[in-house]
Amino acid sequence: MNTNNHAQNNVITAYKDAPARTVDAGGVTYAYRELGPKGGIPVVFFVHLAATLDNWDPRIIDPIAQNRHVITFDNRGVGASTGSVPDSVEAMADDAYTFIKALGFDTIDIFSFSLGGMIAQALVVKHPELVRKLVLTGTGPKGGKDIDKVVGTTYYDILRATLTRQDPKEFLFFNRNATGKPAARAFVNRLKERTADRDADIKTKAFRTQLKAIQKWGRSAPDDLSKITQPTLIANGDNDRMVPSILSEDLHRRIKDSELIIYPDSGHGGIFQYHQKFAPVAVEFLAR
């Protein structure tokens, strides 16, 4: 079970310093990190395609961790978590539920990005009692138009990045223009701020299985998102090539009373490009 190695008056609020922990549940050892003050409802972060614990932008996490208990985790078969990656988003949501219950939580807030937002939707549809608030960024609904095309876009941008010796996220998350390129480099550099005890990279087989799960999600019949009554904040850039921006508007229409922010001149990683604007909005939304 998780243990707290630091006193409450010496709370870690910088993600680069968050201790790595593990918890065993359902035959899987889940790797996770936690920071921020303990107590109250935790904010659990659901990460994107191919991502591990090291892929969260500290400029998003750190402001939230000032006043909230924050938990990030590797889903089954990813990074330092054991087992095999499931081939459906719904099964990933089942694993997330197993992990959260293993930590002893009955109520959480969710912050999600991309594939993480799909997993979050599947989780809240199946276990609405677990989730108090929902932040969905860079994501789309089950059966959303063109989500299944993410596979081709991803492989194309990985090839472009390989040929230019850059991080694929610079192509996948940001516009290739005078605004996007510097924002992309700054984001990638922020991900390197943690130097000790870094996570294992995702394995190729696990990455391909995740892509198949996203494709299946995009080609499936939609869930009834009118059942989601939790306060929901939706955000994206206006030029998301991975999960088309129009799908954020689709989510907004389907989820009653949800709030929508679309950032200009930005892509899939719009919340990272505009972290100085978005982080305070997320903090305020989660604090209500």
Side-chain angles (χ1 to χ4, degrees):
M1 198 65 181
N2 56 332
T3 54
N4 190 358
N5 292 334
H6 51 271
Q8 199 68 18
N9 60 2
N10 189 27
V11 175
I12 291 171
T13 55
Y15 189 55
K16 68 181 179 63
D17 301 323
R21 306 195 188 287
T22 59
V23 64
D24 297 326
V28 175
T29 299
Y30 291 93
Y32 70 102
R33 294 177 189 160
E34 61 180 343
L35 66 160
K38 293 284 187 70
I41 296 169
V43 184
V44 182
F45 278 65
F46 287 48
V47 81
H48 62 84
L49 167 71
T52 69
L53 293 170
D54 290 325
N55 286 101
W56 279 115
D57 189 342
R59 298 303 179 275
I60 300 289
I61 286 196
D62 293 1
I64 294 172
Q66 289 297 316
N67 295 300
R68 295 293 298 275
H69 182 190
V70 166
I71 296 166
T72 63
F73 72 105
D74 280 331
N75 219 323
R76 173 159 58 103
V78 178
S81 289
T82 63
S84 300
V85 170
D87 65 357
S88 76
V89 167
E90 289 80 6
M92 294 175 190
D94 290 340
D95 288 335
Y97 182 78
T98 299
F99 164 73
I100 290 158
K101 297 307 282 186
L103 292 185
F105 297 115
D106 295 320
T107 309
I108 63 167
D109 288 345
I110 292 178
F111 187 108
S112 64
F113 175 61
S114 195
L115 169 59
M118 298 169 196
I119 297 169
Q121 290 171 62
L123 179 66
V124 78
V125 165
K126 192 167 183 178
H127 301 283
E129 77 291 340
L130 179 68
V131 181
R132 186 189 68 138
K133 286 191 176 180
L134 196 54
V135 180
L136 301 171
T137 66
T139 195
K142 190 176 180 179
K145 182 173 164 45
D146 292 339
I147 284 181
D148 58 344
K149 293 181 181 174
V150 72
V151 177
T153 303
T154 300
Y155 280 128
Y156 174 66
D157 278 357
I158 286 174
L159 176 63
R160 288 205 295 168
T162 303
L163 293 174
T164 54
R165 296 186 178 179
Q166 293 177 80
D167 189 307
K169 289 186 287 297
E170 294 193 39
F171 291 85
L172 288 163
F173 287 13
F174 298 88
N175 290 341
R176 303 300 293 161
N177 61 18
T179 310
K181 287 181 181 179
R185 286 192 293 272
F187 169 71
V188 169
N189 286 334
R190 292 197 297 273
L191 300 186
K192 298 173 185 172
E193 288 178 1
R194 184 187 182 95
T195 53
D197 201 14
R198 288 182 66 87
D199 202 359
D201 289 338
I202 192 167
K203 294 181 171 61
T204 303
K205 183 183 177 187
F207 169 60
R208 287 180 175 156
T209 305
Q210 283 187 338
L211 276 174
K212 284 179 191 164
I214 293 172
Q215 197 168 49
K216 192 187 294 183
W217 173 265
R219 292 173 180 173
S220 297
D223 283 328
D224 179 8
L225 299 185
S226 69
K227 291 178 181 174
I228 297 180
T229 57
Q230 289 84 349
T232 303
L233 173 64
I234 301 163
N236 205 346
D238 65 352
N239 183 39
D240 188 338
R241 295 172 56 253
M242 292 194 75
V243 185
S245 305
I246 197 168
L247 295 177
S248 292
E249 295 167 18
D250 190 5
L251 279 174
H252 177 48
R253 279 193 301 272
R254 293 192 200 199
I255 301 173
K256 193 172 184 291
D257 297 329
S258 59
E259 299 171 41
L260 175 67
I261 303 170
I262 300 291
Y263 289 108
D265 193 18
S266 59
H268 191 55
I271 64 164
F272 307 127
Q273 181 171 324
Y274 284 91
H275 64 87
Q276 288 173 309
K277 286 187 175 180
F278 177 69
V281 171
V283 167
E284 189 276 328
F285 172 78
L286 291 166
R288 281 183 217 157

